[in-house]
Amino acid sequence: IAGITQAPTSQILAAGRRMTLRCTQDMRHNAMYWYRQDLGLGLRLIHYSNTAGTTGKGEVPDGYSVSRANTDDFPLTLASAVPSQTSVYFCASSDSPAYNEQFFGPGTRLTVL
Amino acid sequence: GQNIDQPTEMTATEGAIVQINCTYQTSGFNGLFWYQQHAGEAPTFLSYNVLDGLEEKGRFSSFLSRSKGYSYLLLKELQMKDSASYLCAVTDSNYQLIWGAGTKLIIKP
């Protein structure tokens, strides 16, 4: 693999179900990010990790959790999905939080019914 | 609060020049990025400005004025493939990227 991969590409989920979106990068970047993108609202940061073993909350963290056990993987979990979490989710990474040119994965389109 | 403003939509003609403006109010400033996003795809990096002035890269140029909290992206010799959304993002004092909602650029033949 080269760059960032996300899985699944798309998913339809029943409300109340638990779901984990996967993200893996092979660029050995220190920082990783999860965004959601909704029409007219742009990209909104959910959670971030500046380095393996640390995580932080972004603008819209409620209902989501993350972990960063190693450099490459940064999964996003929805503990109990709600329809307002219907969105396109992008994972991104950058070499350094200080100069954060971010590289994006292809996105996961999630629909919660 | 932190805010990034850019026009929602712009229309231009193939072969012409278009300027997309971005104004920002953020807690601190550590650089400004422009990204391109085609429909259904991920954003991709276009340019980075941290000092005042113009950065040119082929048909695309980006300008920054830190005192005015203002940037623009200039696209020359427009091609149909330039039809996309253009996202302005500012790195704040905590080194977090604050994103604008994006400008949808429509190119007409």
Side-chain angles (χ1 to χ4, degrees), chain B:
Chain B
Q2 308 206 88
N3 196 50
I4 308 258
D5 286 319
Q6 43 181 141
T8 303
E9 186 175 297
M10 299 180 70
T11 302
T13 303
E14 188 177 17
I17 299 173
V18 70
Q19 177 175 312
I20 303 174
N21 294 326
C22 171
T23 58
Y24 62 88
Q25 293 175 305
T26 56
S27 58
F29 177 86
N30 284 297
L32 185 144
F33 291 86
W34 283 96
Y35 281 76
Q36 181 189 59
Q37 185 177 24
H38 286 100
E41 298 183 7
T44 56
F45 170 79
L46 281 179
S47 69
Y48 173 70
N49 295 71
V50 66
L51 299 176
D52 290 351
L54 189 68
E55 295 281 342
E56 297 185 81
K57 188 187 295 184
R59 293 189 300 114
F60 292 8
S61 303
S62 56
F63 171 83
L64 174 67
S65 169
R66 288 173 296 170
S67 63
K68 296 182 179 178
Y70 168 71
S71 172
Y72 68 73
L73 180 69
L74 191 71
L75 291 75
K76 303 176 185 176
E77 301 170 13
L78 286 170
Q79 302 175 10
M80 297 303 294
K81 67 178 182 179
D82 297 330
S83 292
S85 289
Y86 292 86
L87 314 179
C88 175
V90 172
T91 305
D92 70 8
S93 57
N94 294 318
Y95 292 98
Q96 293 297 332
L97 264 184
I98 311 300
W99 294 84
T103 298
K104 182 178 181 180
L105 179 62
I106 300 168
I107 310 297
K108 294 186 175 180

Side-chain angles (χ1 to χ4, degrees), chain A residues 83-98:
Chain A
S84 62
Q85 292 178 312
T86 293
S87 187
V88 179
Y89 291 86
F90 287 104
C91 179
S93 71
S94 67
D95 186 37
S96 164

Side-chain angles (χ1 to χ4, degrees), chain A residues 22-90:
Chain A
R22 300 185 298 279
C23 174
T24 300
Q25 54 107 356
D26 67 354
M27 296 176 284
R28 307 303 293 173
H29 282 173
N30 288 305
M32 296 187 75
Y33 313 85
W34 273 106
Y35 292 95
R36 60 178 291 173
Q37 187 174 39
D38 304 290
L39 196 63
L41 294 179
L43 288 163
R44 292 184 292 169
L45 183 66
I46 304 171
H47 285 286
Y48 65 94
S49 169
N50 286 335
T51 189
T54 69
T55 62
K57 294 182 179 180
E59 179 186 357
V60 289
D62 293 343
Y64 305 95
S65 63
V66 292
S67 61
R68 186 89 184 276
N70 57 60
T71 298
D72 299 343
D73 301 300
F74 191 43
L76 176 74
T77 298
L78 289 68
S80 179
V82 295
S84 62
Q85 292 178 312
T86 293
S87 187
V88 179
Y89 291 86
F90 287 104

